Amino acid sequence: MPEIATVISNRPIASDYRHLILSCGALAASARPGQFFQLLCPQPVGEKPFLRRPMSVYAVQADPCRIEFLYKVTGAGTRGLATLQSGDTIDVFGPLGVGFTLDRQWRHIVVVGRGAGLATLAPLARAAAELNIRVTAILSARRPDLLVSVDLFQTYGADVIGVTDAEATSGPANVEKVLRALIAQDSCDAFFTCGSARLMRVQQRLAHEFGIPGQIALEQQMACGIGLCYCCVRDFNVDGEIISRRVCWDGPVFDLAEAMP
Ligand SMILES: Cc1cc2nc3c(=O)[nH]c(=O)nc-3n(C[C@H](O)[C@H](O)[C@H](O)COP(=O)(O)OP(=O)(O)OC[C@H]3O[C@@H](n4cnc5c(N)ncnc54)[C@H](O)[C@@H]3O)c2cc1C
Ligand code: FES
């Protein structure tokens, strides 16, 4: 059910990125890593974002109940979000969708994210730490100042490797080299990824070669967010058969091996 949450803060953290912290009810604060909310964005002057906008949970806290989002300002909806001030209210609908799952047997997972995808992966590092699973996070962005959630990953005890376009370290070849080194050190029981089709393909190849499981959080334009309108359907390759699934309802987290670019 939608609920009205109150803005605690909504501050810029890098060019185009903002960190929104809301006071909310217990249901919203029960969100799991990889789940998302449909946010009813305020209307910026002269624009009308008609539909709710999907946003992954970046962090949650119980007692007092809080939910956090890290978002990139890209269009009318997120420009509306950027206008929120402390004390304002916002209608949030969620938590929605199927999030990440962690296997207690794993000792070390590798998380690979790019751009706004880093926001989706950050709470996974906290959930892994709670299960004593080590995390190596390979975070990719255009520039070092856009590696927006490094601090949060490190707070949760993750080893962070930043790769950027500006330093020519974010290409698939270099990321593959880093991943192969982690696999050789027996430091990769599972892959988790979001935000880059190129990096997804690298992980799919290595996952297949070394028999490593993986999960991917997909971003797809959405309307209803609850499985009714079928506007978020994507194809998946399930043992050679092409299957259509709704990203909002069946995901947004899927088996890495089945995802198609
Ligand atoms: C499950 C899920 C979780 C997400 N989590 C986050 C998050 O944590 N942080 C964050 O910054 N963004 C996240 N996104 C993307 C976010 O929903 C879009 O950036 C937002 O809806 C854009 O709305 P807008 O009105 O500002 O821009 P629009 O004017 O609607 O679009 C601006 C540009 O962004 C593209 N776009 C719009 N919607 C999406 C989308 N759903 N996925 C990819 N590209 C899109 C458009 O094609 C266009 O080029 C998530 C998307 C999904 C589906
Ligand atoms: S957004 Fe309506 S079915 Fe997914």
Side-chain angles (χ1 to χ4, degrees), residues 36 38 220-233 246-249:
F36 68 100
Q38 285 278 71
Q220 186 77 3
Q221 280 185 309
M222 293 181 178
C224 73
I226 51 173
L228 299 176
C229 70
Y230 284 75
C231 92
C232 63
V233 167
R246 290 162 291 179
V247 171
C248 71
W249 186 254

